Amino acid sequence: MDNVIRLEFEKSLSGLAGYDFGLAVYYEQIEKKVNLEGKNILVFPDNVQRVASSFTQGLFAEIVKKIGYDGVEKKIEIRARTKELAYRIYEDLIF
């Protein structure tokens, strides 16, 4: 069974930016819930319309240290307001 982690942000927040902010969100909302042995689905709320690469890199820094970029692709699925946004988040991380 997939492990669904629903990220929460203030409703007024439409854009996410900053490595430190991404890292803080990881520690506050993901670290204790993520299961790197199985598949995880990170769900961004619909109010998030833009995600800067700096945020993405901070959000995934600890996971990448543990399982590498290939592991992220295999173990983490991203769901966002649009498929394009989810793809851009992956693209910012991998490339």
Side-chain angles (χ1 to χ4, degrees), residues 5-81:
I5 302 170
R6 297 185 187 284
L7 300 178
E8 296 178 9
F9 301 99
E10 291 180 30
K11 297 277 186 226
S12 62
L13 206 57
S14 63
L16 306 175
Y19 184 93
D20 291 341
F21 182 41
L23 197 58
V25 170
Y26 168 79
Y27 284 120
E28 293 166 9
Q29 298 190 43
I30 298 173
E31 181 182 34
K32 290 181 176 69
K33 298 176 183 175
V34 71
N35 173 11
L36 298 178
E37 300 299 314
K39 185 174 180 183
N40 299 270
I41 301 171
L42 288 185
V43 181
F44 285 79
D46 284 346
N47 58 294
V48 174
Q49 299 172 28
R50 295 174 313 282
V51 179
S53 60
S54 58
F55 177 86
T56 301
Q57 290 163 2
L59 187 70
F60 287 100
E62 293 299 317
I63 295 173
V64 169
K65 282 182 195 173
K66 292 175 184 170
I67 62 173
Y69 291 105
D70 288 343
V72 171
E73 280 192 286
K74 291 176 184 146
K75 302 288 186 181
I76 308 286
E77 177 183 330
I78 297 170
R79 292 190 186 159
R81 179 182 180 145

